[in-house]
Amino acid sequence: MTTPLISLVWTDHVTGRQGFLVVDRLVRGVASGGLRMRPGCTSAEVAGLARGMTMKEALHYDPAGRYIPLGGAKGGIDCDPRDPGAYGLLVRYLRAMRPYIESCWATGEDLGLSQDLVDRAAAEAGLVSSIQAVYPLLDDEPAARRRLADAFAVEVDGIGLDELAGGCGVAESVLAALDRAAVPYAGTRVAVQGLGTMGGATARFLARAGLTVVAVADLKGTIANPAGLDVEALLAARDGHGTVDRGVLRPEDRELPGDAWLSVRAEVLVPAAVSYVIDSTNQERIRARWIVEAANMPVVPGAEAPLAARGVTVLPDVVVNSGTNAWWWWTLFGDVGADADEAFTHIRRSMRALVGLMLDRAEADGTTPRAAAHALVTERLPVIADRFGWYR
Ligand SMILES: NC(=O)c1ccc[n+]([C@@H]2O[C@H](COP(=O)([O-])OP(=O)(O)OC[C@H]3O[C@@H](n4cnc5c(N)ncnc54)[C@H](O)[C@@H]3O)[C@@H](O)[C@H]2O)c1
């Protein structure tokens, strides 16, 4: 792993809590990457996530597109997002990070934070926008900002387009893997950890494609039903942190412990919550054929080899969950308009192409999909650096 360009630790003068910013790489002077808030967040975690953002940007490099890649970055704050002091802490963190956000770090929501909350806190911290560092790269800034604002106002059946884009990409990755293995959607069972932005949208798209969502886990535990959960009812019963009100469960739905989602009978597991959740010990309990990483870094490196040896394929985060980040930039730079169907079509086409490229490469090299994705990144980064330099 290369050393990041910028890595800093911030200490809040009010609470003593810490926040982190890692800029892994700048391309055209800017890096892209969300901000997460979770208790126990560390600098090393944020560095890994920032590196992942560099990879996601590189993987979506299309020399013919209007959006051409940025570098990768990530922010993190060590706090429970449900803590009453969390919002004030977020505002103070953003104030401290203002010079970076104004000049080189385009950020947005990640685990524990919604985009609405980031936007509100950014305004209170005196920022024009959480992504203002990108504005100098736009041809027609007012039109681009209007397009993105219009896209954020689009809702599909009660969920904002911005909250659906990432899950659309995750779901399409699952469907691409099933198609490749000639496995029909009907009868294929899915278990999802996390029913927030990523998990919620992924569950919706997969249920609508005909798969059966048999388990979802949130902070309160696992909800399961081997015959299939009513995904839309669960989505509508979420609070602002992605926790489902158990009052909507049907008599046949069961409440199980928090880690039960891991070992339910399902062909596809979608970790869509926290990092480091599948390790070398608990991987033994997994009976699924695919693990599709909607979350960032949910599978620890030590679990990958035993999983592969048992025939479990891990589709890696840097490919699978890259749709959100790419959608922001496709919209802002003008590759897609503020329209849900246009956005979903573009995301689906791009994700299928990327998953296909990765799986072809894995087959050719005899490696895991993750190693194949990393090999693709290793080839692309010098091409990007040749074209744009390191800082320009
Ligand atoms: N939001 C994005 O745009 C985006 C994009 C790419 C990747 N990701 C990644 O996806 C993951 C989820 O992000 P999000 O934005 O959907 O988060 P979120 O805050 O919207 O939702 C998190 C969900 O996970 C559940 N959860 C949290 N901790 C849990 C635990 N220990 N056990 C079980 N469930 C738990 C919460 O109850 C909630 O349902 C993160 O790893 C994030 O980095 C997010």
Side-chain angles (χ1 to χ4, degrees), residues 82 195-196 218 220 234-245:
R82 295 164 305 164
L195 206 67
D218 64 11
K220 275 197 197 162
L234 301 182
L235 293 178
R238 293 179 294 176
D239 68 10
H241 298 285
T243 307
V244 174
D245 175 356

Side-chain angles (χ1 to χ4, degrees), residues 18 36 40 44 46-47 111 116 126 213 291 298 302 322 324 367:
Q18 290 195 317
R36 65 166 45 186
V46 174
L111 179 72
D116 283 350
V213 177
I291 298 173
S322 61
T324 316
T367 61

Side-chain angles (χ1 to χ4, degrees), residues 54-75:
T54 293
M55 296 193 209
K56 288 178 209 183
E57 286 283 336
L59 285 166
H60 280 285
Y61 179 41
D62 173 5
R66 287 172 186 240
Y67 150 55
I68 37 181
L70 307 170
K74 203 80 175 187

Side-chain angles (χ1 to χ4, degrees), residues 347-372:
I347 292 168
R348 288 184 172 123
R349 197 174 46 232
S350 304
M351 294 306 297
R352 272 205 181 246
L354 198 49
V355 169
L357 195 66
M358 169 180 72
L359 294 178
D360 285 348
R361 180 66 179 258
E363 249 172 56
D365 291 358
T367 61
T368 62
R370 192 188 310 279

